[in-house]
Amino acid sequence: MTPRWQRAALMPSWIRWLPCSFVYLTVVPASVPFRRSAWSDLVPWDDALWCDPGDVEDWVARSRQRHPRRDAAHAERHAREHYDWMVEVRGARIELFGEMCRRQDLPMPHTVEELLPCLSGFGLFELDHHGGADDPWIRPRLERDPLDVLPLSFEERELEARAQRDDRAVLLAIAVRQLAQRTRRRWRRRVVGTSVTGLAAQAGLSVEQTRQALGDLGEIADLGLDWRDRDERIRLTVPWPDFRLRFPFTELPAPEHAV
């Protein structure tokens, strides 16, 4: 029988830490635990872990096509700067993930197949080899917090806590942008009426996290906040289209894809 598939419970902040291809391992059968063989036709086990940015000349060509009115030299310079920045962010992520593997005494994986036992070593998957070493039972634990799993120093823990707060602000911004897009008003500041509990559910946050993230967005994205009805109902004034251009994602992106 073909299994029904669903997204595993996931702490969104892992998107910042793990190789891009880990998303293959977030699609799991509805019945958990499951055998590794359930992934046989779904997971590209031999694929490389990190997204390939491609040839910089392709970036230049696409930039010229997207901005035909730009001076060719300006379009090329913009594309090359963007490419270099993305590659730098990607390289820093690879280096940081490798350092976490070293501290955990785990070999640095290079393929999706090698990634699964690596993530098991971090406690993000439970592998039970009882009844077959080549086809273990798998239980995802991707909902665990990086602060509870990674071998971080005190300073790194403080940075991660701050980064998680930023993650929640982005997740809430995505929810706000989706609501603002549904309004028919076309002027530059769109007004959205909603509830804190509704926003929290849409963003996948707690009510307390949502209140904090609303305050953060008010400061960094010029989001207007008008609290009503004992702080449950809220009216948001969204700067448009700047807000849409700043938060175009459908989910929290890996850092190099947010450049």
Side-chain angles (χ1 to χ4, degrees), residues 37-54:
S37 54
W39 269 334
S40 295
D41 297 327
L42 183 70
V43 176
W45 295 110
D46 295 328
D47 277 16
L49 294 185
W50 302 90
C51 291
D52 183 357

Side-chain angles (χ1 to χ4, degrees), residues 8-257:
L10 172 69
M11 175 70 169
S13 297
W14 285 116
I15 293 170
R16 285 187 288 101
W17 283 99
L18 300 182
C20 297
S21 62
F22 98 96
V23 297
Y24 290 117
L25 305 181
T26 66
V27 181
V28 300
S31 179
V32 175
F34 59 93
R35 289 283 195 183
R36 182 185 184 278
S37 54
W39 269 334
S40 295
D41 297 327
L42 183 70
V43 176
W45 295 110
D46 295 328
D47 277 16
L49 294 185
W50 302 90
C51 291
D52 183 357
D55 191 327
V56 66
E57 299 303 329
D58 292 335
W59 285 57
V60 171
R62 287 196 298 269
S63 179
R64 289 172 175 169
Q65 290 173 356
R66 285 196 301 267
H67 307 287
R69 296 183 182 179
R70 270 187 186 170
D71 174 78
H74 182 270
E76 178 174 350
R77 183 172 63 254
H78 179 268
R80 291 186 184 278
E81 289 175 352
H82 189 184
Y83 181 90
D84 290 344
W85 187 13
M86 196 210 72
V87 169
E88 182 178 348
V89 173
R90 175 181 179 270
R93 281 225 302 142
I94 294 172
E95 182 177 350
L96 183 58
F97 181 66
E99 174 62 16
M100 292 300 107
C101 291
R102 186 192 65 77
R103 293 184 193 179
Q104 199 76 355
D105 197 24
L106 293 167
M108 178 69 164
H110 300 285
T111 64
V112 180
E113 184 166 10
E114 294 172 353
L115 181 62
L116 179 59
C118 175
L119 298 187
S120 174
F122 281 113
L124 296 179
F125 286 90
E126 295 176 0
L127 304 184
D128 182 357
H129 294 276
H130 180 73
D134 295 332
D135 193 19
W137 290 97
I138 296 176
R139 183 184 297 275
R141 297 294 311 279
L142 291 163
E143 78 284 355
R144 300 184 69 186
D145 192 326
L147 289 169
D148 298 329
V149 171
L150 295 176
L152 302 174
S153 67
F154 177 80
E155 293 78 8
E156 289 167 340
R157 291 181 62 83
E158 289 189 326
L159 289 173
E160 174 61 17
R162 176 67 251 190
Q164 289 189 15
R165 181 167 173 171
D166 292 341
D167 292 341
R168 293 191 289 270
V170 173
L171 289 170
L172 186 67
I174 292 169
V176 170
R177 190 212 73 233
Q178 291 170 338
L179 290 174
Q181 283 179 321
R182 298 171 190 165
T183 66
R184 295 185 179 181
R185 298 172 182 174
R186 298 185 179 276
W187 47 73
R188 295 186 66 83
R189 302 187 74 83
R190 298 192 178 190
V191 177
V192 175
T194 185
S195 68
V196 176
T197 53
L199 266 179
Q202 186 169 348
L205 304 173
S206 70
V207 169
E208 181 179 354
Q209 290 171 338
T210 299
R211 292 183 186 278
Q212 183 183 64
L214 279 168
D216 290 341
L217 280 179
E219 294 179 5
I220 67 175
D222 193 27
L223 185 69
L225 309 176
D226 183 8
W227 295 94
R228 299 166 175 237
D229 188 21
R230 297 181 181 180
D231 291 347
E232 166 58 20
R233 298 294 303 177
I234 186 172
R235 187 173 70 176
L236 307 174
T237 304
V238 186
W240 203 264
D242 294 345
F243 196 90
R244 174 180 60 82
L245 296 173
R246 187 170 182 178
F247 303 104
F249 326 108
T250 56
E251 58 186 13
L252 192 69
E256 63 266 34
H257 297 303

